[in-house]
Amino acid sequence: LRTPRLYSSDSGVTLPPTSGGYLIPAEVDAPEHRKYRNLVNAWFTTRAVANFEPYLRMRAVELITAAAAKGSFDLVDEVAELFPRIAAFELLGFPRDDQPRVSRLIGESLGVGVSADELDTVVARGQAELFGYVLEIIEQRRAAGAGTDPEIRDLTDAIVHGRIDERPMRDDEIQMTMLLMLYAGLYTTSVAMS
């Protein structure tokens, strides 16, 4: 980040590459990186995360209790893959019922578990559907806050109503920032816990 002429993220860092643009702020160099990062940083402080702790603790206990009741279970399938998804959806304020669909789309858009001969088709379809889903969320949030000083209730509101250099973010900037939050929260964290 400090020497973008030596190392640049501007050309992308994901495999397979994300169609439709670069993931923000991960694939943006300084000084713009810091501007986008500042939009989301407040939601990841110790104090901010503590606000979610009671709900997340309850859900963790539910997952572990349900898994333990089976006698034997796969920790990855029953807890490690599910808990980060629950946490990400809560932080983003996304409808909880959408979690299975969005999780599937993230897997498809990254080519997880897809054979080489189907990879391009499945990734393109998954990315298109996931991008469409995120755009619907953006439009809903914009409509809910139109004509008012929007209440910032969650990370999605902070991004949708965020400003860069005193201007509202463009749809593509919002979309790519939201996608990074989804990939990080639903996939990267699940893999790390597994």
Side-chain angles (χ1 to χ4, degrees), residues 110-170:
L110 294 172
V112 175
V114 178
S115 66
D117 58 322
E118 296 179 313
L119 185 65
D120 291 342
T121 303
V122 171
V123 167
R125 182 183 67 230
Q127 286 183 357
E129 193 174 335
L130 182 62
F131 286 24
Y133 173 84
V134 170
L135 195 54
E136 287 174 25
I137 295 284
I138 292 167
E139 290 168 356
Q140 290 168 5
R141 294 301 181 93
R142 276 218 178 109
T148 65
D149 186 16
E151 178 184 359
I152 306 300
R153 301 166 308 199
D154 52 41
L155 181 55
T156 297
D157 283 340
I159 295 168
V160 168
H161 300 294
R163 300 179 76 77
I164 299 293
D165 293 331
E166 303 302 317
R167 66 164 173 81
M169 288 177 61
R170 297 183 317 266

Side-chain angles (χ1 to χ4, degrees), residues 6-144:
L6 296 177
Y7 173 78
S8 175
S9 298
D10 274 352
S11 59
V13 296
T14 60
L15 294 174
T18 306
S19 64
Y22 296 115
L23 296 173
I24 296 172
E27 297 177 332
V28 177
D29 287 336
E32 285 75 25
H33 175 88
R34 175 60 52 199
K35 296 172 187 177
Y36 291 106
R37 183 75 185 228
N38 286 339
L39 287 175
V40 300
N41 275 352
W43 291 89
F44 296 99
T45 65
T46 303
R47 179 176 287 159
V49 173
N51 292 329
F52 294 96
E53 184 179 357
Y55 172 76
L56 296 178
R57 184 176 297 279
M58 177 192 72
R59 293 305 309 270
V61 168
E62 287 173 2
L63 289 174
I64 293 167
T65 301
K70 295 178 179 180
S72 68
F73 62 93
D74 185 319
L75 184 65
V76 172
D77 290 342
E78 302 291 332
V79 179
E81 284 188 2
L82 299 177
F83 186 72
R85 295 172 187 175
I86 291 167
F89 263 63
E90 188 67 17
L91 180 67
L92 290 163
F94 277 19
R96 293 176 184 156
D97 292 344
D98 291 353
Q99 195 178 111
R101 174 183 173 214
V102 173
S103 296
R104 175 185 57 80
L105 292 175
I106 286 173
E108 288 178 5
S109 71
L110 294 172
V112 175
V114 178
S115 66
D117 58 322
E118 296 179 313
L119 185 65
D120 291 342
T121 303
V122 171
V123 167
R125 182 183 67 230
Q127 286 183 357
E129 193 174 335
L130 182 62
F131 286 24
Y133 173 84
V134 170
L135 195 54
E136 287 174 25
I137 295 284
I138 292 167
E139 290 168 356
Q140 290 168 5
R141 294 301 181 93
R142 276 218 178 109

